[in-house]
Amino acid sequence: MTNSNALILEPTASAYAYPLLIKQLLLNAMSLHGDQEITYRGEMRYRFRDFHQRIAQLANALGALDVKPGTTVAVMDWDSHRYLESYFGIPMMGATLFTVNVRLSPAQILYTMIDSDAEVLLVHTDFLPIVEQIRDQLPGLRHVVVLSDDGSVAATSLALAGEYEALVTKAARQYDFADLDENTKAVTFYTTGTTGDPKGVCYSHRHIVLHAMATALSVCSPGGTQRLSTADVYMPITPMFHVLGWGFPYITIMLGLRTVLPGRYVPEVLLRLRETEKVTFSHCVPTILQMLVTGAEKTGQDLSGWKVIIGGSALPPGLCKAALDKGMDVFAGYGMSETGPVVSLALTPTRSAPASAEEDLKLRCSTGRPSLMVDFRVVDEDMRDVPRDGVTRGEIVLRSPSLTPLYFKKPEASEELWRGGYLHTQDIAVMFPDGVVQIVDRLKDVIKTGGEWVSSIEVEGLITQVPGVHEAAVIGVPDEKWGERPMAFVVTWADVEAATVREHLLDHVRARRLSAYAVPEIERIRFVKEIPKTSVGKVNKKQLRAAPPEAA
Amino acid sequence: MTNSNALILEPTASAYAYPLLIKQLLLNAMSLHGDQEITYRGEMRYRFRDFHQRIAQLANALGALDVKPGTTVAVMDWDSHRYLESYFGIPMMGATLFTVNVRLSPAQILYTMIDSDAEVLLVHTDFLPIVEQIRDQLPGLRHVVVLSDDGSVAATSLALAGEYEALVTKAARQYDFADLDENTKAVTFYTTGTTGDPKGVCYSHRHIVLHAMATALSVCSPGGTQRLSTADVYMPITPMFHVLGWGFPYITIMLGLRTVLPGRYVPEVLLRLRETEKVTFSHCVPTILQMLVTGAEKTGQDLSGWKVIIGGSALPPGLCKAALDKGMDVFAGYGMSETGPVVSLALTPTRSAPASAEEDLKLRCSTGRPSLMVDFRVVDEDMRDVPRDGVTRGEIVLRSPSLTPLYFKKPEASEELWRGGYLHTQDIAVMFPDGVVQIVDRLKDVIKTGGEWVSSIEVEGLITQVPGVHEAAVIGVPDEKWGERPMAFVVTWADVEAATVREHLLDHVRARRLSAYAVPEIERIRFVKEIPKTSVGKVNKKQLRAAPPEAA
């Protein structure tokens, strides 16, 4: 619904229309921070101005492989300066960057390579064996460029167009990045639910620029210790192949931050780089956080002054506490492949600081408060906002300038995602009076017992607080009397009794923090060796339900 | 030049396109900061949620006066909650807010009212006498609404549609602000050069939203003491009728800051409000800064913790020093009516902190470093970037997402402004290797003596450092031998000799900080009672040249 009588400004003929383009994120970076540093694993380092020039060289190298506006270029790499160059150089040409999820099975990678219409592939030597398996099923793939840290290339049956560093180094240093329509497709990647084929999400230059600006402002503007500033040193620990590293590589380059790219994630290497490169800002999933905390506990390393956003799945309070005890300033963020991704952050608000350590912990582990410019609603089935009472559940639906406008080549799923003009997250949440959101379940994971809802995420969080518990997953299992009952799968690193877990939950029931019907029976608390995960490290509840692991 | 082969994303039918609209600046403000406070002079206060509701009521009240999308609504008021409501409510209806410069002459106000096609006028009782003078020459003006602090309305010959508070209070509380094209004209106001008619600049919703985001990020992201955060308390001291209060009312509402609106500027009231309301962030022109410093010196008030951006004209180092001595954290910003306005800010950079107090002072008084997303160039006459050597002069030309795309109804001036696809500021500057810019003159004010350029701004800054000097203006005057020579007009608040001024300048020549030919002869240093100013308080050099004031 638009007001057609409103006056649309008609610029004078010579006025520059200024489309929002990824290349403009480099304006300040190059004008003011040309001598800022980017390092790969602490082993190689160069300046922003070298980065800028290499982007031009990359574009020339790809141009020689007939990459044109509209061409899809796939990348398979660990977090590297090469990946960062691709983040900018490929979309700046008008081409589409496809960040391949290297954790998928070869069959899934094949599917996404075909679905994305990838014509050129930049692939790290580590992943050549995968590509060798699927190469002959990719007739549309015209060129394979290999990425190598030392210039050497392992023996391969693949026909290669060359080695990245060699191609870039010899390419011309001038490239005129022409203006594009800001709605040009810049990036694509695939979201892997637990059902069906991977679905491709797409972001335009405009989406990416506005996500960078709004998210940066949401992290930079608060008054507390967690806020990001240009004095910070950045190291991603959410892979750059995963949801654009949550968009932070674009943000930190825009702001001119020193950037540390850690390659393949090895906890000891990450902890060493944090220390030697004086890293102060990162983001990762809870599983990696657990490894970092465990690693630092082993060595006695102090992690003070390290701000880390936790996303991908809920931040368990027990793990959050352990990280805080190591000095890390951890807090949760929320988003999905479809949402840009960041739409909320659990930074401590400047006003109304948490009353107690317990409140502070709860806030840090919450879904957070909506980012700037995000129309963040929690609604019932008729799209009415639920009361902000911290109790009433609803689905999170969103509007923002940075949401995927479709699933690639999937018109039905696209319409389902966007039904009613809001993006449906399928996350069930409650909202508190101060705007803090708490996800309580995935729509498809909700547990209903005796007519009452149980939040699997809440029960999981409480179980991880039991000393010795490493991880927990709770699903609904059929029950004759109650319809469904919660069942917990628990991984421990020390001896823990089911009765101890149950007692811990009952303590919370007695303190009126948990409903009695949310506590699994003792025979429904099962200690297992491992909880099944999806390719991106999330608990695979579909598999848990279909094939629950045996007791360890 | 666009790449037409690039893939433009085609959203699925139900996807929300998210135009960038002023109403979205309220999303977080209302969701997270509904209980935040806005006060008018410390005498009246309400919450953000009241503000939000009153915007809807204002829209209904204006709707009853047949304000529709495309209607221009003029406002003449001091800085008030009413003005803030107009900043949002009027453009959110699809109408155009026209911020009338109340310092113009009645004839100029008449001109701008006609030129802007204003149909409705909201006018504070203080300005009724002006409107009475011009009302019968404004046949297109359909309604006059009077604004009054206490509800009383002075006797007037004007036919009034009502009093603002009464109209707003009785209006319905629901208003559905429909989506608009983001290029809808949101605001217009007039720039008054020293020649010709005032020229109307226009900004769309998109311009305003992107200016708010980019400027906020430029002020929030640095690491130093000057950075803005959501913990700050904001009070504008650049009038809201002047270049949208430099865009900060939009920024601070977006971020949820406590907001203090001081009404008409009275130095004692401003200083009192700073203290009682604990104001920590403001912006003003040097003339006001001088009044504040002088006022605080009288009372012995300490102004520590007050961040103040200085713009409108150059920040003289002497005044900057005096403000720093009072504890104020002052630094310059730069922009024009045509530029959104903010395009650069002289915040201390996080890295490479100034080496000395002298360096710090120089940086704070500089034109600053380009804001995010601003393509800020200093170019020669052939549009080539001048070397970043701090010496070579060029004109500042700009591209940003927030520049006026035209002068209203002035196609030739619009094309002149935008010739070659860059906005021409007519400001002559040098750029340093680290990206810091220093304006040295206005294009039309440049002084050329014996074939060499003299920076009038530089000489003015040095003269104001002489103890007892209040203000200085330097122009070029004809000289038979040298073509032109600099001449200084100096206002003092204590006895100062011309020889002292000249000696001070010669000291700088001896220290190689100034060229000898930039020092005016003793007879060209004239002490005057007053320096002529434009309506917005800038030195009127045209008048200085045409009718130089007599020696005091």
Side-chain angles (χ1 to χ4, degrees), chain A residues 523-538:
Chain A
E523 66 276 15
R524 288 192 175 118
I525 298 171
R526 182 181 294 177
F527 295 98
V528 297
K529 197 153 164 273
E530 206 173 15
I531 289 169
K533 298 280 167 59
T534 68
S535 67
V536 294
K538 294 188 194 186

Side-chain angles (χ1 to χ4, degrees), chain A residues 6 30 79 155 182 197 225 264 309 315 339 342 357 382-383 427:
Chain A
M30 294 312 141
D79 288 10
E182 66 185 22
D197 288 327
T225 57
R264 182 174 189 165
I309 305 180
L315 171 57
T339 65
V342 180
D382 298 319
M383 288 295 281
D427 280 319

Side-chain angles (χ1 to χ4, degrees), chain A residues 171-246:
Chain A
R173 297 175 173 209
Q174 293 298 319
Y175 189 97
D176 175 29
F177 289 104
D179 278 353
L180 303 163
D181 184 312
E182 66 185 22
N183 298 308
T184 300
K185 184 174 169 183
V187 172
T188 191
F189 53 88
Y190 284 76
T191 172
T192 46
T194 48
T195 52
D197 288 327
K199 293 193 284 286
V201 299
C202 304
Y203 294 103
S204 68
H205 284 255
R206 174 180 163 119
H207 289 133
I208 286 170
V209 169
L210 291 173
H211 179 271
M213 292 177 77
T215 305
L217 198 47
S218 300
V219 195
C220 289
S221 59
T225 57
Q226 299 155 356
R227 77 112 178 169
L228 181 69
S229 91
T230 53
D232 279 307
V233 177
Y234 169 63
M235 177 168 74
I237 322 186
T238 316
M240 293 176 78
F241 65 73
H242 181 58
V243 201
L244 292 175
W246 297 351

Side-chain angles (χ1 to χ4, degrees), chain A residues 1-21 24-25 27-28 30-37 68-72 92-96 176 178-186 202-204 206-207 209-210 212-214 216-218 220-224 227-232 254-256 349-351 369-376 388 399-402 404-406 411 414-415 418-422 431 433-436, chain B residues 1-21 24-25 27-28 30-37 68-72 92-96 176 178-186 202-204 206-207 209-210 212-214 216-218 220-224 227-232 254-256 349-351 369-376 388 399-402 404-406 411 414-415 418-422 431 433-436:
Chain A
M1 164 176 49
T2 57
N3 280 309
S4 53
N5 292 327
L7 291 177
I8 308 299
L9 276 180
E10 279 294 338
T12 190
S14 295
Y16 181 67
Y18 204 101
L20 296 173
L21 300 175
Q24 290 146 350
L25 299 178
L27 277 170
N28 257 41
M30 294 312 141
S31 176
L32 305 180
H33 310 290
D35 61 346
Q36 185 58 289
E37 205 178 74
K68 287 188 273 208
T71 306
T72 297
M92 282 164 62
M93 299 174 75
T96 305
D176 175 29
D179 278 353
L180 303 163
D181 184 312
E182 66 185 22
N183 298 308
T184 300
K185 184 174 169 183
C202 304
Y203 294 103
S204 68
R206 174 180 163 119
H207 289 133
V209 169
L210 291 173
M213 292 177 77
L217 198 47
S218 300
C220 289
S221 59
R227 77 112 178 169
L228 181 69
S229 91
T230 53
D232 279 307
M254 168 179 74
L255 296 177
T350 307
R351 302 180 295 133
R369 291 149 55 98
S371 292
L372 279 161
M373 309 304 284
V374 178
D375 184 4
F376 192 116
R388 286 181 165 217
R399 285 176 169 178
S400 101
S402 306
T404 188
L406 79 166
S414 298
E415 277 299 294
W418 272 104
R419 67 187 183 281
Y422 276 85
M431 203 168 197
D434 58 0
V436 171
Chain B
M1 162 178 50
T2 56
N3 280 312
S4 54
N5 292 328
L7 291 177
I8 308 301
L9 277 180
E10 278 295 338
T12 189
S14 294
Y16 181 68
Y18 205 100
L20 296 173
L21 300 175
Q24 291 146 350
L25 299 178
L27 277 170
N28 257 40
M30 295 311 141
S31 176
L32 306 180
H33 310 290
D35 62 344
Q36 184 59 288
E37 206 179 73
K68 287 188 274 209
T71 306
T72 297
M92 281 164 62
M93 299 175 75
T96 305
D176 174 29
D179 279 352
L180 304 162
D181 184 311
E182 66 185 22
N183 297 309
T184 300
K185 185 174 168 183
C202 304
Y203 294 102
S204 68
R206 173 179 162 122
H207 289 133
V209 169
L210 291 174
M213 293 177 77
L217 197 47
S218 300
C220 289
S221 59
R227 76 112 179 169
L228 181 70
S229 91
T230 54
D232 279 306
M254 167 179 73
L255 295 178
T350 308
R351 301 180 295 133
R369 289 147 58 98
S371 291
L372 280 160
M373 309 303 284
V374 178
D375 183 5
F376 192 117
R388 287 180 162 216
R399 286 176 169 179
S400 101
S402 306
T404 188
L406 79 168
S414 298
E415 277 298 294
W418 272 105
R419 66 187 183 281
Y422 276 84
M431 203 167 198
D434 58 1
V436 170

Side-chain angles (χ1 to χ4, degrees), chain B residues 49-182:
Chain B
R49 67 175 66 88
D50 306 311
F51 172 65
H52 196 215
Q53 190 206 276
R54 284 175 57 96
I55 289 171
Q57 291 180 289
L58 172 60
N60 281 317
L62 291 176
L65 299 178
D66 207 26
V67 169
K68 287 188 274 209
T71 306
T72 297
V73 180
V75 177
M76 297 175 75
D77 195 6
W78 308 114
D79 288 10
S80 71
H81 58 299
R82 298 172 298 251
Y83 222 138
L84 197 62
E85 288 156 15
S86 300
Y87 264 47
F88 286 85
I90 294 170
M92 281 164 62
M93 299 175 75
T96 305
L97 166 69
F98 167 28
T99 57
V100 181
N101 183 344
V102 298
R103 292 207 195 111
L104 295 182
S105 68
Q108 284 178 306
I109 290 177
L110 174 64
Y111 175 89
T112 62
M113 289 287 290
I114 294 171
D115 191 65
S116 68
D117 303 326
E119 295 179 47
V120 174
L121 171 65
L122 313 184
V123 55
H124 189 277
T125 47
D126 284 359
F127 308 114
L128 282 176
I130 299 174
V131 179
E132 285 163 0
Q133 285 182 56
I134 60 176
R135 177 69 182 95
D136 59 0
Q137 295 167 75
L138 289 168
L141 185 65
R142 295 188 285 105
H143 295 293
V144 176
V145 174
V146 72
L147 280 51
S148 155
D149 282 1
D150 58 5
S152 74
V153 177
T156 177
S157 59
L158 296 167
L160 299 177
E163 190 272 324
Y164 183 97
E165 192 58 33
L167 292 178
V168 166
T169 309
K170 78 173 185 204
R173 297 174 173 210
Q174 293 298 320
Y175 188 99
D176 174 29
F177 289 104
D179 279 352
L180 304 162
D181 184 311
E182 66 185 22

